[in-house]
């Protein structure tokens, strides 16, 4: 879809625009703003929320992981349009928190946009999309037990964000890097739980 975002900065701009117009930003509003056909941006936004300061709210990482699973399952099934249940679409965060979160990740977004763009695009289509979706499901399933440890959900959420970014900017080299990061995240997660 031509108006779907094609960079992390595009994603943040659209979310910030929503925050400027409303007192609260609902998930359903973000779905409309980012375009219903592109799953990649949502797999970037959800981890960024978890990694941002508001991700420290108890239970939020697990809630974000559930949304990731819901999105990734639709990718595995080959759906073209994103569907979310009403209870998820109505969930909202205050505009002030949204602005704070988007502001904190602006610098990271600029770096990501500079480095990642359109290499090996064949690796971001067809069966590779489904493989990335399965990787996101595995990463999301690691989140609930890791939520008990400080900052431990960052590793799997970074892997999910890398998959989402790879799909958004059509970068197959990043898709490979995301796969490696996912394997490392599983190792880090198991290590953290064993040493708990």
């Amino acid at each position: 879809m031509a108006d779907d975002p094609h960079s992390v900065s595009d994603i943040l701009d659209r979310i910030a625009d929503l925050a400027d117009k409303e007192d609260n930003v609902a998930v359903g509003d973000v779905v409309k703003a980012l375009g219903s056909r592109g799953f990649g941006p949502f797999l970037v936004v959800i981890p960024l929320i978890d990694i941002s300061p508001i991700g420290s709210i108890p239970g939020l990482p697990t809630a974000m992981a559930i949304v990731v699973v819901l999105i990734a399952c639709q990718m595995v099934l080959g759906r073209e349009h994103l569907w979310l249940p009403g209870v998820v679409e109505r969930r909202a965060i205050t505009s002030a928190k949204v602005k704070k979160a988007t502001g904190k990740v602006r610098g990271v977004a600029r770096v990501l946009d500079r480095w990642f763009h359109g290499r090996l695009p064949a690796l971001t289509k067809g069966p590779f999309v489904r493989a990335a979706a399965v990787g996101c499901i595995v990463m999301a399933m690691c989140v609930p037990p890791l939520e008990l440890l400080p900052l431990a959900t960052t590793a799997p959420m970074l892997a999910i964000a890398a998959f989402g970014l790879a799909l958004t900017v059509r970068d197959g080299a990043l898709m490979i890097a995301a796969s490696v990061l996912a394997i490392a995240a599983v190792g880090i997660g198991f290590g953290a739980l064993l040493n708990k």
Side-chain angles (χ1 to χ4, degrees), residues 49-104:
I49 291 170
D50 179 74
I51 295 165
S52 78
I54 63 172
S56 61
I57 297 170
L60 186 66
T62 296
M64 297 291 99
I66 291 168
V67 175
V68 166
V69 169
L70 184 61
I71 292 169
C73 283
Q74 293 178 63
M75 292 169 63
V76 169
L77 295 172
R79 285 185 57 94
E80 290 187 13
H81 299 277
L82 177 62
W83 172 85
L84 294 173
V87 67
V88 174
E89 285 196 334
R90 289 188 297 271
R91 295 289 297 184
I93 301 172
T94 65
S95 293
K97 287 182 179 176
V98 170
K99 288 177 186 176
K100 183 177 180 182
T102 56
K104 291 236 180 220

Side-chain angles (χ1 to χ4, degrees), residues 40-181:
F42 297 98
L43 295 177
V44 175
V45 169
I46 306 283
L48 288 180
I49 291 170
D50 179 74
I51 295 165
S52 78
I54 63 172
S56 61
I57 297 170
L60 186 66
T62 296
M64 297 291 99
I66 291 168
V67 175
V68 166
V69 169
L70 184 61
I71 292 169
C73 283
Q74 293 178 63
M75 292 169 63
V76 169
L77 295 172
R79 285 185 57 94
E80 290 187 13
H81 299 277
L82 177 62
W83 172 85
L84 294 173
V87 67
V88 174
E89 285 196 334
R90 289 188 297 271
R91 295 289 297 184
I93 301 172
T94 65
S95 293
K97 287 182 179 176
V98 170
K99 288 177 186 176
K100 183 177 180 182
T102 56
K104 291 236 180 220
V105 295
R106 283 276 177 195
V108 174
R110 283 191 290 273
V111 171
L112 293 174
D113 291 341
R114 192 176 320 126
W115 283 94
F116 303 115
H117 47 77
R119 298 166 294 182
L120 305 171
L123 296 179
T124 62
K125 300 174 185 170
F128 299 106
V129 172
R130 286 185 168 91
V134 170
C136 289
I137 291 168
V138 171
M139 292 299 96
M141 290 171 62
C142 293
V143 169
L146 292 176
E147 188 176 350
L148 303 171
L149 305 170
L151 303 173
T153 62
T154 301
M157 284 298 192
L158 278 176
I160 292 167
F163 281 124
L165 181 61
L167 294 170
T168 299
V169 300
R170 305 287 189 257
D171 192 323
L174 180 55
M175 188 76 93
I176 294 168
S179 300
V180 172
L181 183 57

